[in-house]
Amino acid sequence: MYILPYMLPVLLTVSAASIARSTMEQADDIMVYRDGPTADESAGIGVELESPFFKFVYPGCSMDDTNAAKKAVVDKCQGTNWLLTADTGVDPGKLNAEFIFDGQKIKVGTGELVTAGKAAADDLVKWYPWQKPQTEVQITNNKCNLWKITSPTSKDEPETVLWDPQVTALMSLEALIDYSILVTKPYFTPVKEIKPAVLSDDVLVFCSLVLLHVKSLDGKLLKPDESPKLRMPFMPRNDFVTLYNQVELKLKGIPLLPLFEKLACYKVSAGKLALDKNFCTGTAKAPVPNNVFAGLTFKNTASKSPDATLTVKAWIEGITAKKDLLTAFDKIIDSSIGGAWIQDREDVPGDSQCAFIRIPRP
């Protein structure tokens, strides 16, 4: 976490990125945000700063009305290329503060992000709303106004509040190999259809992203309105079909579900590759999938939409059929995965294979 004034070096050093916040529409009782890359396809740069210590509460506010506050401006706090907004969690009547820097307008190399970051920090220091205990603020167009600030307290100066940065960056799949990738070449021991020579970094990263999402469900059901993104160290903003298209030829078109059932047979234990008995029987050298993997389910009990229940089998087979059902599942919550970024790209000199990836910490 960072103190807001000290975020300026981060804003100076983050790489090509884009995050957009524009109009919204009502669908299935939630707000769907029309996010997207820059209009001229030049490299944008966008940042979100979330603070778990800057909190708003409204006892009795419904989950629907709480979710409707997501990305809405707090007390008219906004300026050129930045907004102070509300961010939702899993509890009704509770919100956190979040700064958003508009990546549709801020371009890489212009210095506009640093300018916006300084303006936002200066505004917060000047505003200092919790200096008076139990201060109430208005969330734009929200039915539960007014919201009470419960944290920080009057003893906390604005300069000391901690913020978590998130950057939505254009990165090649290969670049993510340094982010604690799960799948390594030994995972492919039982996969006879693929030769070790084709297991390049982008293939390992794609397989890791899929496996990370699935194994996050093992023994841990999703909470109501919990996005799978909350369990990831990073997440793709393009859908998984776009990512799969980048490695499909290397995987030689083999069926993805049997492939991932075999990859799921492994885990790292005490620094060594071992058989994951939750998903396979046999031995590490000759694992046998037990069909548990395919039956795991993404389920949002807060929604009655038919897209709110998704088996791993349906998701992975859908990727092969060029349809990412996890994007549809996440759209019910906040469209963080896929959304309007499904096949969009921006131009980054020297790199033609970039995907939109959100990194929680730069």
Side-chain angles (χ1 to χ4, degrees):
M1 289 190 182
Y2 296 83
I3 297 171
L4 188 57
Y6 294 99
M7 280 302 303
L8 293 181
V10 175
L11 301 181
L12 278 166
T13 57
V14 287
S15 59
S18 179
I19 189 164
R21 293 289 180 263
S22 52
T23 58
M24 51 190 173
E25 61 184 356
Q26 191 75 24
D28 296 331
D29 298 324
I30 61 150
M31 304 308 293
V32 178
Y33 292 84
R34 295 175 179 170
D35 294 349
T38 57
D40 61 1
E41 297 185 355
S42 61
I45 185 167
V47 176
E48 294 182 1
L49 304 179
E50 301 177 9
S51 178
F53 303 105
F54 191 172
K55 301 178 181 180
F56 314 107
V57 299
Y58 189 105
C61 190
S62 70
M63 195 72 238
D64 284 346
D65 289 336
T66 300
N67 284 337
K70 186 177 180 68
K71 309 304 180 188
V73 175
V74 176
D75 241 36
K76 300 181 181 180
C77 293
Q78 60 188 100
T80 302
N81 295 333
W82 68 270
L83 305 168
L84 178 64
T85 70
D87 192 28
T88 55
V90 296
D91 297 319
K94 295 182 180 180
L95 300 169
N96 291 332
E98 177 181 71
F99 277 105
I100 294 176
F101 298 90
D102 189 351
Q104 270 193 320
K105 298 178 181 178
I106 300 173
K107 304 297 179 64
V108 171
T110 63
E112 293 169 329
L113 181 57
V114 175
T115 300
K118 184 178 187 305
D122 290 346
D123 186 81
L124 181 65
V125 170
K126 182 179 178 180
W127 183 34
Y128 198 174
W130 58 86
Q131 190 171 15
K132 180 181 178 181
Q134 304 299 303
T135 294
E136 293 180 326
V137 297
Q138 182 164 328
I139 308 294
T140 301
N141 296 327
N142 190 255
K143 294 180 180 180
C144 295
N145 283 317
L146 297 166
W147 291 75
K148 186 176 295 183
I149 298 176
T150 58
S151 174
T153 68
S154 57
K155 297 179 181 180
D156 301 311
E157 296 184 353
E159 295 92 333
T160 65
V161 177
L162 297 176
W163 300 80
D164 279 329
Q166 291 187 335
V167 180
T168 301
L170 276 169
M171 298 180 69
S172 63
L173 287 179
E174 294 93 325
L176 291 175
I177 200 68
D178 294 328
Y179 279 86
S180 300
I181 291 304
L182 174 64
V183 176
T184 56
K185 291 182 180 181
Y187 276 64
F188 285 82
T189 299
V191 184
K192 305 304 180 184
E193 302 92 334
I194 299 178
K195 296 181 179 180
V198 305
L199 297 178
S200 52
D201 288 348
D202 53 350
V203 172
L204 298 179
V205 171
F206 169 73
C207 292
S208 294
L209 286 171
V210 173
L211 208 57
L212 280 168
H213 279 77
V214 176
K215 287 205 169 185
S216 74
L217 298 173
D218 185 26
K220 302 175 184 177
L221 298 178
L222 292 172
K223 298 177 182 178
D225 278 331
E226 180 187 0
S227 172
K229 71 176 184 180
L230 298 177
R231 301 183 178 188
M232 299 296 110
F234 48 81
M235 68 177 180
R237 293 283 272 164
N238 298 89
D239 75 351
F240 279 84
V241 172
T242 301
L243 303 181
Y244 176 55
N245 288 341
Q246 296 187 28
V247 299
E248 183 177 11
L249 290 178
K250 295 180 181 180
L251 293 176
K252 299 185 181 299
I254 66 173
L256 289 185
L257 183 60
L259 169 63
F260 281 106
E261 285 181 317
K262 293 176 182 178
L263 297 181
C265 289
Y266 296 102
K267 65 179 181 179
V268 176
S269 179
K272 297 181 180 180
L273 202 63
L275 183 72
D276 190 335
K277 296 181 180 179
N278 290 340
F279 298 104
C280 297
T281 59
T283 66
K285 291 184 178 181
V288 180
N290 60 12
N291 298 321
V292 170
F293 180 87
L296 290 176
T297 302
F298 298 95
K299 186 175 181 63
N300 181 8
T301 57
S303 174
K304 296 180 180 179
S305 167
D307 292 327
T309 300
L310 173 64
T311 65
V312 167
K313 180 178 185 294
W315 176 42
I316 293 180
E317 289 182 342
I319 294 173
T320 305
K322 302 304 175 74
K323 185 175 182 180
D324 183 11
L325 299 178
L326 188 61
T327 292
F329 174 87
D330 197 67
K331 183 178 180 180
I332 298 170
I333 304 168
D334 64 2
S335 293
S336 290
I337 301 172
W341 303 79
I342 289 177
Q343 294 180 353
D344 287 309
R345 317 183 70 80
E346 289 177 352
D347 295 328
V348 178
D351 199 334
S352 61
Q353 292 292 317
C354 283
F356 289 105
I357 302 290
R358 170 174 283 183
I359 307 297
R361 292 173 180 80

